[in-house]
Amino acid sequence: MLKKVLLCGLGGAVALTVGILLGHFGIKQGSTSPECVQDVDESVIAQFLAEVDNNQIQENLRQLTKVPHMATTAGDEETVKYMLKRWQDPDSGLDDAWREEYMVFLSFPDEKTPNRVSVVSPNGTAIFTVSEKEKPYTPDQEDPAVVQPYAAYSPAGNAKGKLVYANYGTMEDYTLLSKTVNLNNTIAIVKYGGAGRQAKAINGALFGVIGVLVYTEPKDINDNKMSDSSQTYPHSWYLPPTGVERGSYSSDFGDLLTPYLAAKEDTYRIPESDIKGIPPIPTQPIGFLDAYSLICELDGSPAPETWQGAFNCTYNFGGPGFKATSSFASSDVQMDIYNKGELRNSSNVMGVIRGSVEPDRYIIYGNHRDSWVHGAIDPSSGTAVMLEITRVLGKMVKAGRWKPRRSIIFGSWGAEEFGLIGSTEYAEEYYSKLRARTVAYINVDISVFGNATLQAQASPAAQSLVLTAAKQVKIPNKDSSVYDNWIQYSNRTSPTHGIIPNVGFLTGAGSDYAAFMHFLGITSMDISHAYDRSKTNARTYPAYHTAYDTFDYASKYIDPGFTSHQTVARTAGNVLLRLSDSLLLPFNSTDYAESLEQYLNTALKNFGSTLAQKKISVEPLSNAVAKFRAATNRLNELILNSNFKKESPLKARSINDQLMLLERAFLDPQAFPDKYGYRFDTISLLLQ
C-alpha cells in the first residue's frame, strides 16, 4: 500500500513539473489573448451613431404614450409587456430580459370620492369649487385613466380655515408671514418651487397651518402667459390655466415602509405611522386659474415684491381670509382629501447584454417607465431613447458584429414618480453585488426638455468621458458637434482644460441616479437635452406632470422631428460603448482632484473669514485635498508607464478596479444619519 502511495505521489510530481515547464517555455511570457487586450473599437461607435434613427424614436414614443401609465395601473402593465416584447425580440433584442417584482407602498386618490377644495360661506354653502380635472384639448386628455390631480402621500382629512398666501412655503416664508398674520388654523396657498413639495406642508404645520394648496405660478413657468385662447397650450408649450403639477410629497426615496430592505412580499415593514418626511396635514395641488380666483381676493397687507407673481392683482398676505368687499368675504376654504395608501405590486423590467471578457463588471443604463399621466416627456422621452439604443445594439449582437467587453444591464424602473422606488429597491436587493461589480450608472430620464443644447450632470471622474462623446456626435443637419453647441450655452473655466461645457454635479435625488450615486457610491451621470434658458424663465418644461404631457405636445413644441432625442441617444450610447469596451476605464481622477480643489477654494472664499474668527482651521482639509491630488498623479504616472497590451491583463484589471471604486471611497454610512440613503460625504472621508 505504501509503495502504491509513493508511486502515485511521484507520478503526480512529475506531471506537475512537466506542466510547469511547458507553461514556462511553451507560452510566450507577457502574452495575452487578443480579446483581453482589445480596446474600444471606434468603427463600432461610428456604426452605432449612424444607425440611431430619429424616426424609430418617434415611433417608440407614439407607442409608449398611447394610454396613461401611472405606476401599477393597467396602462403600466401594458408598457411592461411592451418593454419585454422589444427586449426579447429575436432580431434586435438583448441576451436576456425579465421582470422583477416588488410590493411597494403607494398613495392614490379615491376614485369614487374625488378630492375637493371649495370656498364655503359662514352658513356652510360652497360658493366656489376648485376644478377637479384639467380641461381637455385633445381626445387622449379625456381618457378615463387620467388621474385626478393630487398630492401623493398627503394624508386624508378635512381642513377648514381662513386662507393665507405663503409664497413658496419655505421656513423663511412662513416666518415672515407669521410676523404679520396669526397662522393658527389657517389654510396656506403656496407656489411650486423654492422648497420640496413635502416641505411646504411640513413647514406650515410648525406654524399652525392645517392645510396647504399648491399651484404653479405663471411667472415661474409660463413667462407670465395665461390665456389658453392664444398664449398657452394648445397654441404653444406653455401650461394652460387648469394645468396641475402632480407629484410625490415625500422627502425620502425608495419604498417608505421598507427602508434599506428590498420591498418583497415577505419583507418586514414599518408601521405607516412611522413614515417620516411626508405632509402631516392635508395637501392638494390646483391650477393657476383657481389660484388666481383665490389669491386676488385675499385681504391683508401686500406681500413683498419678491412674492408677487403674474396675476393682475396685488398678492396680499391674507387677513387671514378674504377682503370685506369680495364675494368670498367672511368665507373659509374647505379641503376634503380622500387619499389612501395601498400596497401594490410594481415591476422593473430588466435586460442584459453579457460581456465577453469581463462579464462580472456591469455598466447599468436606466430610465423609469411610469408616468403621472401619458408622460411623453417625463419619462417616455427617455424610454424611447433607451429602446432605440437597445435596438441598435441588439441588432449588432444578434448579427455577430459586436459583443461588449463588460456586461451591460438595462433597467426600466417602476414607480419612480412616487419616490425613485424601482431603482432603489433594485439597489437594496442587489446591494453587495452592485457595489462590488458596477463600473458606472447612466441615467436618461427626461431625455429632452427642449431642442437647444445638451446638458449633463456627472461625477467629476466621468466628466471627460461625457465631453469626449459630445465631441464625436454631430448635430443633425449641421456641421458642428454637440460639444461645440453645448459650450455656447453653458460653460466654465477649468484650470486644466480651459473653457469647457459645464458638467454639473449630481446632487439631491431628482431621478434614479440617487440610489446608485448616493447610496452605493457608483460613478453616475445624467444626460438630457435642454431649452435655451436665456429665452425663458421656465423652471422646467411647462407641461411637467400634467395631463398635457402627451405625444402631441412633445412632437409639436418640445422636439419637432425628434432630432434632439436622436442627439441624446447618440451621446448616451457613445458613453455606454466606451464604458463597456475600453480596455482601461475612461475615468479621469485628475478631474476629480480639480473639482475638490475648486470646492475647497469656493468654501474658503465664502466662509474663510468666518471660520478664522471662530478659530476653525481648514488646514486638515487643505492637506487632505493635496494628498488626493498627489495620489491621482501617482495613478496617472502608473497608467502612462504601462503597456497594457503586452503586460498581464490583471494589471489593467487592478487599475480599473481603483477607478471603479474611486466614488465608493467617499461613502460614509454615518454621514447623514437623519436622511435615508445619503452616504456620500467627500469632506469627512478626505479627513480620515
Side-chain angles (χ1 to χ4, degrees):
M1 177 64 70
L2 179 60
K3 184 178 180 181
K4 288 182 180 180
V5 171
L6 290 172
L7 287 172
C8 185
L10 181 61
V14 169
L16 178 62
T17 303
V18 170
I20 292 171
L21 291 172
L22 284 172
H24 182 75
F25 294 105
I27 300 175
K28 186 178 179 181
Q29 295 305 299
S31 68
T32 56
S33 67
E35 244 188 350
C36 287
V37 296
Q38 177 67 44
D39 206 349
V40 63
D41 188 338
E42 294 294 340
S43 67
V44 169
I45 292 180
Q47 183 181 5
F48 168 82
L49 297 179
E51 292 187 19
V52 170
D53 189 339
N54 58 309
N55 292 317
Q56 290 279 354
I57 297 173
Q58 179 176 355
E59 187 56 31
N60 290 344
L61 191 68
R62 194 190 309 274
Q63 293 297 322
L64 289 163
T65 56
K66 281 186 174 180
V67 296
H69 47 285
M70 188 167 65
T72 73
T73 64
D76 185 32
E77 179 60 21
E78 285 189 35
T79 60
V80 168
K81 292 177 180 177
Y82 179 66
M83 298 297 295
L84 282 171
K85 180 182 177 182
R86 291 289 300 272
W87 286 354
Q88 293 172 346
D89 186 279
D91 298 319
S92 60
L94 308 177
D95 287 341
D96 196 8
W98 64 96
R99 60 193 295 166
E100 297 201 351
E101 314 291 345
Y102 298 97
M103 189 65 68
V104 301
F105 180 70
L106 305 182
S107 167
F108 300 95
D110 191 320
E111 293 180 5
K112 297 179 180 178
T113 312
N115 294 341
R116 181 182 174 89
V117 177
S118 54
V119 176
V120 294
S121 65
N123 64 11
T125 303
I127 55 179
F128 173 81
T129 302
V130 167
S131 300
E132 292 179 4
K133 292 188 175 182
E134 294 150 300
K135 177 181 175 180
Y137 299 96
T138 58
D140 52 0
Q141 293 157 14
E142 298 183 89
D143 192 308
V146 173
V147 69
Q148 177 197 12
Y150 75 111
Y153 300 113
S154 161
N158 309 103
K160 180 180 176 183
K162 301 297 181 186
L163 189 68
V164 294
Y165 169 57
N167 197 28
Y168 292 109
T170 66
M171 282 295 292
E172 293 78 11
D173 291 335
Y174 281 115
T175 299
L176 177 60
L177 182 60
S178 68
K179 293 177 180 177
T180 304
V181 180
N182 181 358
L183 295 180
N184 282 324
N185 298 312
T186 59
I187 306 291
I189 184 168
V190 301
K191 301 179 288 192
Y192 270 119
R197 298 185 190 102
Q198 73 291 335
K200 300 173 187 299
I202 293 172
N203 295 340
L206 297 174
F207 290 83
V209 172
I210 58 172
V212 173
L213 303 177
V214 190
Y215 79 99
T216 303
E217 168 59 48
K219 183 178 179 180
D220 297 339
I221 202 75
N222 270 15
D223 297 319
N224 297 322
K225 294 177 174 60
M226 293 185 286
S227 171
D228 67 345
S229 64
S230 60
Q231 296 179 317
T232 66
Y233 182 82
H235 308 284
S236 73
W237 82 322
Y238 291 116
L239 180 68
T242 62
V244 184
E245 180 183 323
R246 298 154 180 80
S248 173
Y249 283 62
S250 169
S251 60
D252 288 342
F253 55 89
D255 177 56
L256 296 178
L257 295 183
T258 60
Y260 298 109
L261 300 172
K264 295 299 187 180
E265 192 166 356
D266 56 354
T267 302
Y268 169 77
R269 288 170 168 80
I270 65 172
E272 289 182 30
S273 57
D274 288 350
I275 295 175
K276 297 178 181 178
I278 60 175
I281 54 179
T283 306
Q284 176 70 17
I286 65 174
F288 69 75
L289 179 64
D290 289 321
Y292 175 90
S293 299
L294 297 172
I295 288 175
C296 287
E297 298 300 318
L298 281 174
D299 199 5
S301 56
E305 181 61 32
T306 54
W307 289 34
Q308 300 298 315
F311 302 153
N312 60 349
C313 66
T314 299
Y315 291 42
N316 295 329
F317 285 136
F322 302 106
K323 300 171 186 174
T325 55
S326 167
S327 59
F328 298 162
S330 303
S331 297
D332 292 328
V333 169
Q334 171 82 38
M335 297 178 64
D336 299 299
I337 307 302
Y338 301 100
N339 297 345
K340 53 186 179 180
E342 297 181 25
L343 279 179
R344 293 274 192 98
N345 188 77
S346 178
S347 302
N348 289 341
V349 181
M350 309 302 300
V352 64
I353 301 175
R354 296 186 182 90
S356 58
V357 179
E358 298 181 84
D360 63 332
R361 290 293 178 263
Y362 309 150
I363 316 299
I364 304 178
Y365 184 113
N367 160 246
H368 73 95
R369 183 188 62 258
D370 67 300
S371 63
W372 285 112
V373 192
H374 291 86
I377 303 302
D378 182 10
S380 299
S381 66
T383 308
V385 162
M386 180 165 64
L387 283 172
E388 177 60 3
I389 290 173
T390 58
R391 181 191 72 84
V392 176
L393 296 182
K395 281 181 64 178
M396 293 166 68
V397 170
K398 298 294 185 184
R401 292 182 285 154
W402 169 78
K403 194 77 172 173
R405 178 186 185 89
R406 302 176 184 92
S407 294
I408 303 174
I409 298 173
F410 294 95
S412 175
W413 313 121
E416 185 270 357
E417 295 293 6
F418 288 85
L420 319 181
I421 291 177
S423 57
T424 303
E425 299 315 300
Y426 177 79
E428 290 173 340
E429 181 171 12
Y430 300 104
Y431 176 84
S432 298
K433 186 178 290 186
L434 293 175
R435 278 202 67 184
R437 300 181 180 183
T438 305
V439 170
Y441 175 71
I442 304 169
N443 193 69
V444 180
D445 182 346
I446 301 174
S447 69
V448 180
F449 291 89
N451 58 8
T453 177
L454 193 80
Q455 67 177 18
Q457 294 79 43
S459 161
Q463 171 189 268
S464 61
L465 166 62
V466 176
L467 297 183
T468 296
K471 288 177 181 177
Q472 192 173 12
V473 176
K474 300 295 182 184
I475 297 175
N477 306 317
K478 291 185 180 180
D479 291 332
S480 59
S481 69
V482 169
Y483 181 96
D484 294 334
N485 183 66
W486 184 5
I487 205 170
Q488 294 178 38
Y489 285 92
S490 176
N491 58 67
R492 70 176 183 87
T493 300
S494 160
T496 306
H497 308 291
I499 298 175
I500 59 173
N502 184 38
V503 178
F505 193 72
L506 285 172
T507 57
S511 190
D512 287 300
Y513 56 77
F516 296 96
M517 180 75 179
H518 304 312
F519 180 54
L520 294 174
I522 292 168
T523 299
S524 302
M525 60 213 80
D526 184 86
I527 301 171
S528 60
H529 211 273
Y531 49 85
D532 185 350
R533 295 187 181 274
S534 70
K535 294 182 178 179
T536 176
N537 290 322
R539 60 181 171 83
T540 186
Y541 72 98
Y544 176 69
H545 285 190
T546 72
Y548 308 113
D549 189 356
T550 61
F551 180 83
D552 176 73
Y553 180 84
S555 59
K556 284 183 179 177
Y557 302 117
I558 301 297
D559 188 23
F562 288 81
T563 54
S564 296
H565 285 76
Q566 184 181 40
T567 295
V568 173
R570 285 172 169 167
T571 307
N574 192 329
V575 168
L576 178 64
L577 284 167
R578 293 186 180 281
L579 283 166
S580 64
D581 284 354
S582 293
L583 177 60
L584 199 69
L585 290 176
F587 292 150
N588 191 332
S589 60
T590 301
D591 285 346
Y592 215 126
E594 181 183 289
S595 293
L596 292 176
E597 289 162 354
Q598 289 183 317
Y599 296 152
L600 175 62
N601 291 336
T602 300
L604 291 174
K605 180 181 177 181
N606 293 338
F607 309 111
S609 58
T610 303
L611 292 171
Q613 289 173 9
K614 296 182 179 295
K615 297 183 179 180
I616 299 174
S617 173
V618 295
E619 186 177 352
L621 182 58
S622 298
N623 291 339
V625 172
K627 287 180 181 178
F628 186 88
R629 166 65 79 171
T632 64
N633 290 340
R634 289 193 297 272
L635 180 60
N636 289 335
E637 187 177 351
L638 174 62
I639 293 170
L640 260 165
N641 294 329
S642 298
N643 188 334
F644 297 110
K645 293 193 175 183
K646 291 186 177 180
E647 298 179 73
S648 167
L650 292 178
K651 185 173 185 180
R653 172 85 166 192
S654 173
I655 293 174
N656 281 340
D657 282 355
Q658 287 181 266
L659 293 168
M660 179 182 76
L661 298 173
L662 172 60
E663 214 76 54
R664 273 30 142 234
F666 291 109
L667 289 183
D668 179 0
Q670 301 302 317
F672 306 99
D674 297 331
K675 287 188 176 184
Y676 165 84
Y678 286 92
R679 297 181 169 191
F680 200 78
D681 184 6
T682 53
I683 292 178
S684 66
L685 267 294
L686 279 170
L687 292 176
Q688 287 183 10

